[in-house]
Amino acid sequence: MDLKLIFAQELKTQLLQDWSEKELYDLIETPKHSHLGDLAFPCFQLAKTMKKAPAQIAREMAAEITSPLFTKVEAVGPYINIHFDGSKAGKEIVSGILAKGKDYGTHTFGENRTVVLDMSSPNIAKPFSMGHLRSTVIGNAIATIAEKCGYRTEKINYIGDWGTQFGKLIVAFKKWGDPDKVKENPIAELFILYKKFHEEAELDASLEEEGRKAFKLLEDGDEEITGLWRWFKDESLQAFKTIYSLLGVEFDSYNGEAFFNDKMEEVVTLLKKQHLLEESQGAQVVRMDDGNLPPCLIKKTDGATLYATRDLAAALYRHRQYAFDEALYIVGQEQTIHFQQVMNVLKKLGYNWADEMKHIPFGLYLKDGKKMSTRKGRVILLEEVLQEAIKMAEDNIKQKNPDLKDAYAVARDVGVGAIIFHDLKNDRLNDIEFSLEHMLTFEGETGPYIQYTYARAQSLLRKAGQSEPLTFEGLEDAESWDVIKQLRLFPEIIEKAWQHYAPSVIAKYLIATSQSFNRYYAKTKIISGDNQQHSRLALVHAVGIVLAEGLRLLGTKSPAEM
């Protein structure tokens, strides 16, 4: 039952026939405090046509609205606030959730539409740091939310496998590398070499030129250099996939920057043909004076192509390959100007679909208030954090529930879930100060708190030994109605999360829903043997459905026992 739709229909039928249901629906709000009512309609937009103060309109209209589902209609300032009959409305809402199960909250507005997501995109030959967690888990959650709304998704891991840094790494390996050490522990050894190159380059500037020359050999297909590059790439991908497996993240494509090497000349040719390419201090650029942006660099003075060239080639390829309706780039906000330039160039080339390309920026993980940097060695390795979180969860389980079956599997779900949820509960544009203490707290507004609430609900159902299907006949207490009102918001929350590309909307909703259920649990004897036990258990089951599906949308698991 959509309570907002019912209110909108009553407003239209009884008072506002000239308005559409959708116009009224979109204006209806949920009061911040439950004592003010379940829904509220603001009268500000009526003041101009009715030539009355909004508060007066609210008073007059509130007196005329009637419905068997409403127990109270009142004017609160310029708002018309309504209170639903919790027993009658609750029966419709909970019954609907039970009937739909995990499909509750599903939308269809994305059907026959495709969304391409460019996400994660770590650099080969470098360890997977906390800095890459945000793009990975935000992108994965947005993709899952999109699928819940009916979209087909293509998740692309645009691996950083090209650029001058690989010339530098090859120089470092040839100067100081031990092949046996690299074979034994590739990522760690290559990372040591990468840091050493930059330390030595500060003392000997000629190393930078050596790195550039090595990369030029790579671009030219030198056999030895290409062999080393391919080896570094293969080892890196294997290491990355171990982490993706822990996070429960999969991709449809691993086409990295190098994949587009033979596709960039088309971009240059198109730009030349439309007279958009200009020379600037020996480099080839596209000017963007009309967009108040710096020139977009297409080719350097030595003829080498750049990130923008590859991103333009990638955009053309992806539109041809996937015919996307939206292309989302889940990349840090420091790349905002870069994506504005890329999209501007595409529009100059006449590709109107560039309007459907969107940069989805996010803040940084900071360490001691500073940006993490692999070059300077100021980095925290994600795999180490995940393993520490799993161990902490495992220790917690041993203390509180030593006989739990599959304890390690539960610890993995809880530990990894704690890291993912900690990230996603934050607004994606905010920076996050790295703190293991905050990430791995298993109380308060955390992933484990949501998971524990779900496990508590499942425990109640097991304890009741309910064999026949649960049905909800209605409950009249205020606490159960508070829970039901939370549950009825789930479809709206999913749509809002998609509209704003904001998984935090769902994370915050899950916290509020868990808090509401736990208040209900504390005040109500759910298994009491009376004639309302069946309805109370049905409500518990509905809560479990919503929590499990909400956690799934964020990329975390919901263990039935903890």
Side-chain angles (χ1 to χ4, degrees):
M1 174 185 277
D2 189 333
L3 300 186
K4 282 177 69 175
L5 182 58
I6 290 170
F7 189 19
Q9 288 169 342
E10 295 293 344
L11 285 167
K12 178 175 174 59
T13 302
Q14 298 184 42
L15 297 165
L16 298 168
Q17 289 87 356
D18 293 338
W19 287 63
S20 71
E21 280 182 12
K22 186 177 187 315
E23 288 173 321
L24 296 169
Y25 186 97
D26 290 343
L27 287 173
I28 293 170
E29 302 173 9
T30 300
K32 288 184 179 179
H33 304 290
S34 60
H35 71 274
L36 293 173
D38 300 321
L39 293 173
F41 179 78
C43 296
F44 303 106
Q45 291 198 25
L46 303 177
K48 188 174 181 181
T49 54
M50 293 187 174
K51 301 189 182 335
K52 295 178 184 177
Q56 182 183 349
I57 296 170
R59 285 195 301 274
E60 293 174 357
M61 290 176 64
E64 297 182 43
I65 298 173
T66 59
S67 169
L69 280 174
F70 303 163
T71 57
K72 186 178 179 183
V73 182
E74 61 180 342
V76 180
Y79 291 87
I80 301 169
N81 288 16
I82 61 162
H83 299 252
F84 277 86
D85 182 318
S87 181
K88 292 177 183 176
K91 182 175 181 180
E92 296 292 330
I93 293 166
V94 176
S95 297
I97 296 170
L98 296 176
K100 292 179 180 176
K102 65 182 180 181
D103 290 331
Y104 177 58
T106 298
H107 295 282
T108 58
F109 56 78
E111 286 183 355
N112 302 315
R113 293 174 63 81
T114 298
V115 178
V116 170
L117 301 99
D118 181 319
M119 51 182 276
S120 194
S121 309
N123 290 322
I124 66 167
K126 291 184 188 177
F128 201 111
S129 73
M130 286 297 301
H132 291 105
L133 176 68
R134 302 218 71 190
S135 176
T136 306
V137 298
I138 292 171
N140 189 59
I142 290 174
T144 312
I145 294 165
E147 290 162 4
K148 185 76 172 175
C149 295
Y151 292 91
R152 183 174 76 88
T153 62
E154 294 287 343
K155 292 189 286 185
I156 298 171
N157 196 340
Y158 187 51
I159 298 289
D161 59 0
W162 205 248
T164 310
Q165 69 266 33
F166 298 108
K168 296 176 181 179
L169 181 63
I170 287 164
V171 168
F173 175 75
K174 293 182 75 171
K175 284 182 178 292
W176 309 295
D178 181 333
D180 292 332
K181 285 185 177 180
V182 172
K183 286 175 185 175
E184 185 181 339
N185 196 350
I187 298 296
E189 283 302 312
L190 292 173
F191 184 43
I192 290 168
L193 292 172
Y194 183 77
K195 287 192 294 181
K196 183 172 178 63
F197 179 92
H198 287 283
E199 289 165 2
E200 295 293 330
E202 288 183 6
L203 304 173
D204 181 1
S206 68
L207 278 174
E208 294 284 351
E209 183 58 29
E210 282 190 58
R212 282 190 287 272
K213 286 179 179 177
F215 178 59
K216 189 68 172 65
L217 288 172
L218 179 59
E219 285 193 304
D220 294 340
D222 179 89
E223 190 173 337
E224 179 197 6
I225 300 295
T226 301
L228 287 172
W229 169 81
R230 190 170 289 114
W231 178 35
F232 297 163
K233 179 178 178 178
D234 291 345
E235 294 289 353
S236 298
L237 282 175
Q238 285 304 115
F240 293 159
K241 286 178 180 179
T242 300
I243 294 169
Y244 290 133
S245 177
L246 263 181
L247 291 171
V249 177
E250 296 178 350
F251 296 92
D252 300 296
S253 167
Y254 282 89
N255 287 339
E257 293 179 52
F259 178 80
F260 297 99
N261 280 344
D262 61 353
K263 299 168 181 62
M264 289 186 287
E265 198 53 44
E266 179 191 5
V267 173
V268 177
T269 301
L270 286 168
L271 291 169
K272 285 179 178 176
K273 193 177 290 185
Q274 297 199 31
H275 308 291
L276 292 169
L277 212 54
E278 297 182 24
E279 188 171 314
S280 175
Q281 299 178 346
Q284 299 289 306
V285 304
V286 176
R287 295 204 174 277
M288 304 207 161
D289 303 332
D290 54 338
N292 293 318
L293 292 167
C296 184
L297 195 55
I298 301 297
K299 274 194 171 185
K300 292 193 286 188
T301 52
D302 62 1
T305 51
L306 290 131
Y307 291 120
T309 326
R310 283 189 283 278
D311 277 353
L312 288 165
L316 291 171
Y317 174 84
R318 291 170 186 174
H319 191 262
R320 289 167 185 160
Q321 185 77 4
Y322 304 114
F324 59 72
D325 296 282
E326 287 188 55
L328 307 180
Y329 292 81
I330 299 92
V331 182
Q333 56 191 346
E334 66 271 22
Q335 294 295 320
T336 296
I337 290 176
H338 166 75
F339 285 109
Q340 287 175 344
Q341 289 176 314
V342 169
M343 294 168 199
N344 194 305
V345 171
L346 288 167
K347 290 177 79 171
K348 284 177 181 290
L349 286 169
Y351 297 117
N352 292 329
W353 47 260
D355 289 331
E356 306 310 322
M357 294 169 58
K358 298 169 187 173
H359 175 211
I360 311 299
F362 53 84
L364 301 167
Y365 266 111
L366 305 177
K367 184 181 178 185
D368 302 323
K370 297 178 181 178
K371 178 181 176 181
M372 294 182 183
S373 169
T374 49
R375 179 178 298 183
K376 296 180 179 178
R378 190 169 57 240
V379 65
I380 296 170
L381 304 186
L382 177 57
E383 189 171 13
E384 291 178 4
V385 173
L386 292 172
Q387 294 297 349
E388 188 163 347
I390 293 168
K391 185 179 185 308
M392 184 173 179
E394 199 171 16
D395 292 343
N396 203 338
I397 289 168
K398 285 176 182 176
Q399 288 178 12
K400 296 183 178 180
N401 193 357
D403 299 324
L404 179 67
K405 293 179 181 178
D406 300 320
Y408 178 78
V410 174
R412 184 187 60 225
D413 292 344
V414 172
V416 173
I419 302 300
I420 294 173
F421 193 89
H422 179 82
D423 187 300
L424 296 181
K425 77 175 183 181
N426 288 280
D427 186 294
R428 62 175 165 79
L429 289 172
N430 293 343
D431 291 340
I432 302 175
E433 178 67 35
F434 177 79
S435 165
L436 270 178
E437 182 183 355
H438 290 149
M439 276 191 165
L440 305 182
T441 296
F442 291 82
E443 297 174 358
E445 298 182 351
T446 65
Y449 172 70
I450 314 296
Q451 291 170 319
Y452 180 73
T453 303
Y454 173 80
R456 168 178 277 173
Q458 301 314 298
S459 175
L460 281 166
L461 296 174
R462 287 194 301 272
K463 187 177 179 182
Q466 201 67 47
S467 55
E468 70 270 22
L470 288 162
T471 56
F472 187 84
E473 298 303 328
L475 295 169
E476 296 181 357
D477 59 289
E479 289 79 15
S480 66
W481 179 232
D482 282 342
V483 176
I484 293 167
K485 284 191 293 183
Q486 270 298 121
L487 300 182
R488 74 100 184 159
L489 291 172
F490 192 47
E492 293 177 31
I493 290 293
I494 292 169
E495 184 172 2
K496 183 180 177 183
W498 168 250
Q499 288 171 343
H500 298 279
Y501 308 111
S504 63
V505 170
I506 293 176
K508 289 168 184 171
Y509 166 81
L510 293 178
I511 291 168
T513 302
S514 296
Q515 290 169 339
S516 179
F517 174 73
N518 285 320
R519 284 193 296 271
Y520 176 65
Y521 175 84
K523 292 183 178 180
T524 307
K525 188 171 178 60
I526 293 170
I527 302 175
S528 61
D530 63 11
N531 61 359
Q532 289 194 316
Q533 176 178 305
H534 203 74
S535 288
R536 286 194 291 270
L537 289 171
L539 177 57
V540 171
H541 184 37
V543 168
I545 288 170
V546 169
L547 292 182
E549 184 62 2
L551 287 169
R552 184 190 72 82
L553 292 174
L554 296 181
T556 61
K557 301 289 180 62
S558 46
E561 292 185 74
M562 283 176 66

